[in-house]
Amino acid sequence: MFFTLRTSAFNFLSIGYTILILSSTLALRFLEFQPSESHDDPVQVNVLRLKWHLNLDCVEMEERKWEDLEFDCLVNVLGRVGMESLLLHVPFVCRSWHEASRSPSCWKHLVFPQDIHLTWDVTLIDKFEDYYEIHNCSEDAFIKFVVGRSHGNCTVLSLPNDCSEEVLKYIADKCPALISLSLPADHFLSSESLSILPTLIGKWEHLENLWLGSSDYLVNIITEITLACSKFSGLSVSSATIREEEASAIVTNLPNIKSLILRGARMDLENLVIILQGCKNLVHLDVRDCRGFISDDERVLELASNIKTFMCEGSMLDDDEDNHQCFVNEY
Amino acid sequence: MSSSTDSPTLTTETTQLSPQPDTETAKPTKKITLKSSDNQIFEVEESVAMEFATVKSFFEDSPSTDTVPLPNVTAKPLSQVIEFCKEQIKFKANPDEAQKKKYNAEFVTEKSDKDLVDMIPVANYLEIKDLLDVLNQAVADRIENKSVEYVRSFFGIDNDFTAEEEAALRREHAWAYEGVDED
């Protein structure tokens, strides 16, 4: 009810402003015929009086309280408190906060914890079940519930580790406004559900940034991005394996990419060179801790010299093949 | 607060500034007088006042005004808001994103919870978007993952739910959740 009143007050204010702008225009036209602007100008004084009148009419003299802060402003704060607070705390603060927490605008940026279901620790889902007296809330159902709150307005989404195919399909259907998407992968499990990702990319035409937890299906994903996402500008792949196939796909399909994060990748020097020669608009390239080239390779440093942020510390030739093999054999 | 030269000029209404000449037109270095709801007078450079979209549109409509009453705004948050805007003007003249970020971070870090909470409605009313972004983020960071009781006391909000309503709220959520689950 507070908000209805307030909204009408604001409408009134904007109507007032329109009238004022119109009258001031008239006043200024009138003034053009005057030798100098004067405070005694009758039109101007009337405009002022009208202005004061409106101002005092629309604004309550009492100090504003947080409960009835303008809805949009409250929503702006609540959209920044993080998923746990938004789910578990904000709705119970008071009535107006409860109402505000239901606004899809609060749910535009959704960052799920990487692990939402662990048997050995209390996770967000456990707390959610506890707060809302729900039994056996599945990971998929929880993600769908939270994403559903955004009513298609979600622009930034960071999913938990290894989402199911079902969740990915749901996201593709329900989040057409996505700008940034993060799909981490648990490296101890296979990321089979990612195989569906290339077929879903087309649903996110506004996508600009993509973080992937593995380089599986990377070539197919990049190909789809080129077809669907005209504003795409940033790609991050953790634990990637960049062979010639992947490097060429990046260069061919994303020649204008601005940010590329391949930290910890297995990538030979020639494949890094392909990327450096092909992606001329890079402003951020992170190839730290890679295996396959050395961090002070002169050719690399020269080719990267025009990249604003270039990071390659900790990268080295993969001369530990034998040790690596021993390690694998041991396990 | 008002002792350093960087702080906004803060006087009481009775000791108000010298009368403005009647026939003078607006000059680039013009000072603008803002009056808070508790009748404190702030004299600020025009460029600073123009950072407040509300004041700016006010002056566009009524260029010959010299005092702007701000009936929603008390002196303390207003002085802090003015302090912030003065710095932003400097960054406009000499853009330095890193310095600006640092200043903005320090500006909110050194403020008490109450200062931040009191400034938000002011920044909102005066339509200072940059400040509102900084404040909203700072407040959100401070209440993130805090209990309902903590959040209420942080903002000075009274619980207007009855015990029954609160219980119903939890059940209502459960239904909403189960509705999605059936999909």
Side-chain angles (χ1 to χ4, degrees):
Chain A
M1 196 181 66
F2 267 125
F3 297 123
T4 327
L5 285 174
R6 195 157 296 281
T7 313
S8 54
F10 271 84
N11 283 342
F12 180 45
L13 189 63
S14 49
I15 294 167
Y17 266 101
T18 320
I19 296 170
L20 273 163
I21 290 161
L22 288 174
S23 15
S24 338
T25 320
L26 283 174
L28 287 174
R29 280 196 189 140
F30 182 75
L31 283 171
E32 280 167 19
F33 300 100
Q34 305 289 315
S36 68
E37 282 179 278
S38 157
H39 284 204
D40 299 324
D41 180 89
V43 178
Q44 197 66 14
V45 168
N46 280 341
V47 169
L48 270 181
R49 282 199 187 123
L50 177 59
K51 183 82 193 183
W52 295 130
H53 179 70
L54 280 171
N55 235 9
L56 295 173
D57 249 11
C58 299
V59 168
E60 296 140 42
M61 295 301 285
E62 70 196 270
E63 205 175 326
R64 283 189 181 188
K65 287 186 181 162
W66 258 92
E67 290 92 315
D68 46 304
L69 184 69
E70 198 188 330
F71 190 77
D72 288 347
C73 185
L74 181 56
V75 165
N76 188 307
V77 174
L78 300 185
R80 300 167 189 252
V81 296
M83 189 176 293
E84 183 165 333
S85 287
L86 198 52
L87 268 179
L88 306 181
H89 306 137
V90 165
F92 298 101
V93 169
C94 64
R95 286 177 188 169
S96 54
W97 279 47
H98 172 252
E99 190 188 333
S101 77
R102 291 302 188 94
S103 163
S105 300
C106 291
W107 304 83
K108 279 180 173 175
H109 293 189
L110 301 178
V111 180
F112 285 88
Q114 289 216 340
D115 297 301
I116 54 171
H117 228 311
L118 296 171
T119 43
W120 63 87
D121 201 2
V122 179
T123 64
L124 184 55
I125 290 191
D126 298 322
K127 292 180 193 169
F128 181 68
E129 288 178 335
D130 190 36
Y131 264 74
Y132 295 112
E133 296 155 23
I134 297 162
H135 305 290
N136 297 322
C137 175
S138 75
E139 207 166 303
D140 284 6
F142 178 73
I143 297 171
K144 286 158 113 185
F145 170 77
V146 173
V147 170
R149 277 285 162 91
S150 74
H151 291 273
N153 286 284
C154 181
T155 53
V156 176
L157 178 61
S158 180
L159 287 167
N161 279 338
D162 298 304
C163 283
S164 68
E165 252 189 50
E166 193 188 330
V167 161
L168 292 177
K169 281 182 190 165
Y170 181 85
I171 304 291
D173 285 336
K174 304 287 182 180
C175 302
L178 266 193
I179 292 173
S180 294
L181 175 63
S182 174
L183 297 168
D186 184 332
H187 304 304
F188 297 104
L189 297 169
S190 66
S191 49
E192 277 168 22
S193 61
L194 277 185
S195 64
I196 198 181
L197 195 57
T199 66
L200 303 176
I201 295 280
K203 303 261 188 154
W204 299 306
E205 54 175 322
H206 303 286
L207 195 69
E208 292 177 25
N209 301 297
L210 180 64
W211 286 265
L212 295 170
S214 89
S215 53
D216 297 349
Y217 316 102
L218 185 61
V219 173
N220 292 343
I221 292 169
I222 291 174
T223 312
E224 292 301 323
I225 286 174
T226 317
L227 296 174
C229 318
S230 59
K231 290 188 202 153
F232 195 81
S233 67
L235 176 68
S236 171
V237 190
S238 42
S239 307
T241 303
I242 304 295
R243 293 159 296 197
E244 193 191 338
E245 195 189 356
E246 281 85 9
S248 305
I250 292 173
V251 167
T252 315
N253 295 295
L254 305 171
N256 298 317
I257 194 163
K258 293 199 176 79
S259 169
L260 192 55
I261 299 171
L262 300 170
R263 190 172 179 178
R266 295 191 153 266
M267 172 164 56
D268 289 339
L269 178 65
E270 56 264 37
N271 296 326
L272 176 60
V273 168
I274 290 177
I275 292 174
L276 285 168
Q277 286 176 332
C279 301
K280 288 293 182 192
N281 293 332
L282 278 173
V283 285
H284 183 93
L285 178 61
D286 185 350
V287 285
R288 284 177 289 175
D289 307 318
C290 287
R291 292 292 173 272
F293 62 93
I294 45 169
S295 59
D296 54 356
D297 185 280
E298 278 181 22
R299 194 165 167 219
V300 167
L301 293 178
E302 196 195 320
L303 282 169
S305 61
N306 57 346
I307 299 174
K308 195 175 166 194
T309 327
F310 175 70
M311 294 182 280
C312 65
E313 297 81 9
S315 290
M316 56 181 82
L317 285 170
D318 203 358
D319 52 6
D320 294 344
E321 270 313 322
D322 295 342
N323 294 343
H324 181 69
Q325 205 54 48
C326 291
F327 180 80
V328 169
N329 288 341
E330 264 179 51
Y331 290 83
Chain B
M1 180 176 61
S2 58
S3 55
S4 104
T5 49
D6 274 353
S7 301
T9 319
L10 176 58
T11 54
T12 61
E13 193 166 21
T14 45
T15 60
Q16 214 199 78
L17 23 131
S18 56
Q20 298 271 324
D22 271 344
T23 50
E24 280 293 305
T25 52
K27 284 178 185 168
T29 55
K30 178 173 145 183
K31 294 256 184 178
I32 280 171
T33 306
L34 307 174
K35 187 173 136 189
S36 66
S37 63
D38 41 358
N39 288 328
Q40 302 278 2
I41 297 294
F42 292 80
E43 243 198 348
V44 295
E45 297 277 343
E46 187 179 20
S47 59
V48 175
M50 292 304 118
E51 290 286 291
F52 310 161
T54 310
V55 173
K56 191 176 180 212
S57 63
F58 187 96
F59 270 91
E60 280 163 2
D61 294 341
S62 333
S64 51
T65 321
D66 31 58
T67 303
V68 186
L70 301 170
N72 275 325
V73 179
T74 54
K76 193 178 181 199
L78 180 58
S79 73
Q80 291 170 332
V81 164
I82 291 170
E83 175 196 330
F84 178 88
C85 288
K86 275 187 169 176
E87 285 303 313
Q88 303 304 307
I89 299 282
K90 291 182 194 164
F91 290 123
K92 265 190 186 170
N94 301 301
D96 183 340
E97 272 309 311
Q99 275 302 112
K100 183 173 164 180
K101 230 177 168 177
K102 187 166 167 257
Y103 173 81
N104 291 354
E106 282 169 5
F107 179 81
V108 289
T109 306
E110 66 191 22
K111 298 284 181 292
S112 71
D113 294 347
K114 188 175 186 309
D115 283 348
L116 293 182
V117 166
D118 289 347
M119 259 190 284
I120 289 181
V122 175
N124 185 50
Y125 172 69
L126 294 175
E127 296 177 47
I128 313 164
K129 199 188 164 296
D130 287 357
L131 175 59
L132 201 53
D133 275 348
V134 171
L135 292 173
N136 286 352
Q137 190 59 52
V139 161
D141 291 345
R142 288 193 194 185
I143 62 166
E144 184 167 1
N145 298 344
K146 296 291 197 298
S147 71
V148 176
E149 292 72 26
Y150 182 93
V151 175
R152 282 193 197 124
S153 88
F154 186 100
F155 288 98
I157 293 174
D158 294 326
N159 180 10
D160 56 1
F161 287 123
T162 62
E164 292 76 26
E165 281 173 329
E166 198 178 311
L169 209 67
R170 292 183 193 271
R171 285 197 299 275
E172 194 181 68
H173 277 246
W175 281 113
Y177 156 76
E178 278 156 17
V180 172
D181 199 25
E182 283 159 15
D183 266 0

